Amino acid sequence: MTRFKAFRVTRTEDGFKREVVPLQASQLPEGEVLVAVHFSSVNYKDGLSATGHPGVTRNFPHTPGVDAAGIVLESDVQRWRAGDKVLITGYDLGMGTAGGFAGCVRVPAGWLVACPPKLDLRSSMVLGTAGLTAALCVDKLQQMGLDRNGEVLVTGATGGVGSIAVRLLSRLGFQVVAVTGKSDCEDMLRELGAAKVITRESLREGTGKPLLAERWAGVVDTVGGDLLFNAVKGLRYGASAAICGLVNSPEIPATVLPFILRHVNLLGIDSVELPVAEKERIWLKLAQEW
């Protein structure tokens, strides 16, 4: 019987208790593939799950961890064999299904992506779900014709998605303008490749105006709210904003004017229910040309 340790969150009369406990494979949910987890990463959803947020996890005891990288131990399908190196991100992992903060996970075969040969398991989780999401944003902006000759704005630039987006865009030759509320992080953002660093307050300037001067060739937005719409109002004609977060707010104080007068696009980015073939394509890009 496969035994391992797991970070478990248990509901108590006084709230929630968190501890590392011994488990065995028979205690995992049903699934076609058993994976020995070598690495996971810490995501915002993991914090919500670990503190009992009902929008993420409802049933306890529970093991958080919305991503994992490891090696297949057992498989009921031909696609995967013992010894395969695999990545798992999104779907129900770490939310309703016991997640990556454990020595093992058991999941449906359709959740797995082969770890690319040029990307080791640790590096994949250094990137993690945040890196996958950042790459999806950049990929979709490029599909929409992102102009290399203009500035690309990244909001929430010190976060997981934002910081990797800054680094990736810079490495691809784009002029990155990073937005942050953390004045002590400017040097870090410049080391990642940001050509300019601006404050949240400066991005909020002109909030009451229907349009702002055309400036941004593209936007990667992780925050939502008024910051997102001010970024949209500053998009150049035909440009796009890829949105993937709501740290500031899930609401957008918007009008239709930028969309019908500037021909701009708002691109939704989801890394959770994205088809596994698309996840595999992006992981290959991160492992190879990116």
Side-chain angles (χ1 to χ4, degrees):
M1 179 63 68
T2 302
R3 299 178 184 275
F4 55 91
K5 292 181 179 180
F7 176 74
R8 295 285 272 180
V9 181
T10 305
R11 193 194 306 272
T12 69
E13 292 182 358
D14 300 322
F16 291 88
K17 179 175 69 174
R18 289 160 287 276
E19 58 186 340
V20 176
V21 301
L23 293 178
Q24 54 189 21
S26 61
Q27 294 173 272
L28 291 171
E30 294 183 359
E32 296 148 320
V33 186
L34 179 67
V35 178
V37 177
H38 287 219
F39 298 96
S40 183
S41 58
V42 181
N43 291 275
Y44 185 64
K45 278 185 180 177
D46 299 323
L48 295 176
S49 177
T51 52
H53 194 291
V56 178
T57 302
R58 294 183 179 274
N59 298 316
F60 296 89
H62 175 68
T63 302
V66 298
D67 50 25
I71 296 176
V72 172
L73 294 176
E74 302 172 6
S75 174
D76 295 336
V77 298
Q78 291 185 343
R79 170 68 178 86
W80 304 108
R81 297 183 179 183
D84 287 346
K85 294 182 179 181
V86 295
L87 311 178
I88 314 165
T89 60
Y91 304 114
D92 192 47
L93 187 72
M95 297 176 67
T97 300
F101 293 176
C104 290
V105 295
R106 183 183 284 119
V107 296
W111 290 8
L112 275 60
V113 169
C115 184
K118 293 184 179 181
L119 190 69
D120 61 77
L121 294 175
R122 181 182 183 279
S123 296
S124 72
M125 288 296 102
V126 169
L127 293 167
T129 294
L132 175 66
T133 305
L136 285 165
C137 290
V138 174
D139 181 69
K140 203 160 189 178
L141 287 172
Q142 287 192 317
Q143 289 182 40
M144 297 297 291
L146 181 60
D147 186 356
R148 195 175 298 276
N149 296 317
E151 293 179 316
V152 182
L153 187 74
V154 178
T155 66
T158 61
V161 175
S163 60
I164 296 174
V166 168
R167 182 64 169 161
L168 178 56
L169 286 162
S170 174
R171 288 184 63 118
L172 292 173
F174 293 97
Q175 301 174 56
V176 181
V177 177
V179 184
T180 182
K182 302 173 182 177
S183 58
D184 58 338
C185 291
E186 181 171 347
D187 289 344
M188 180 199 78
L189 290 169
R190 290 190 179 277
E191 288 175 6
L192 288 173
K196 298 178 183 177
V197 179
I198 65 174
T199 65
R200 289 193 296 246
E201 289 70 27
S202 65
L203 184 58
R204 282 196 169 98
E205 292 177 4
T207 297
K209 296 180 179 180
L211 289 171
L212 298 173
E214 295 183 47
R215 179 174 180 182
W216 314 120
V219 174
V220 173
D221 178 73
T222 69
V223 300
D226 59 337
L227 291 172
L228 166 59
F229 195 55
N230 259 25
V232 169
K233 290 188 290 186
L235 281 170
R236 287 159 44 172
Y237 189 90
S240 302
I243 62 171
C244 63
L246 42 72
V247 175
N248 180 33
S249 172
E251 299 181 358
I252 308 174
T255 72
V256 300
L257 293 178
F259 304 101
I260 62 176
L261 297 179
R262 295 261 178 89
H263 198 59
V264 300
N265 310 287
L266 204 55
L267 312 174
I269 303 297
D270 169 55
S271 64
V272 178
E273 296 297 333
L274 189 74
V276 73
E278 274 295 285
K279 291 184 179 182
E280 187 169 33
R281 182 179 69 84
I282 296 298
W283 279 116
L284 283 170
K285 295 192 77 164
L286 286 167
Q288 296 174 4
E289 66 263 36
W290 284 5

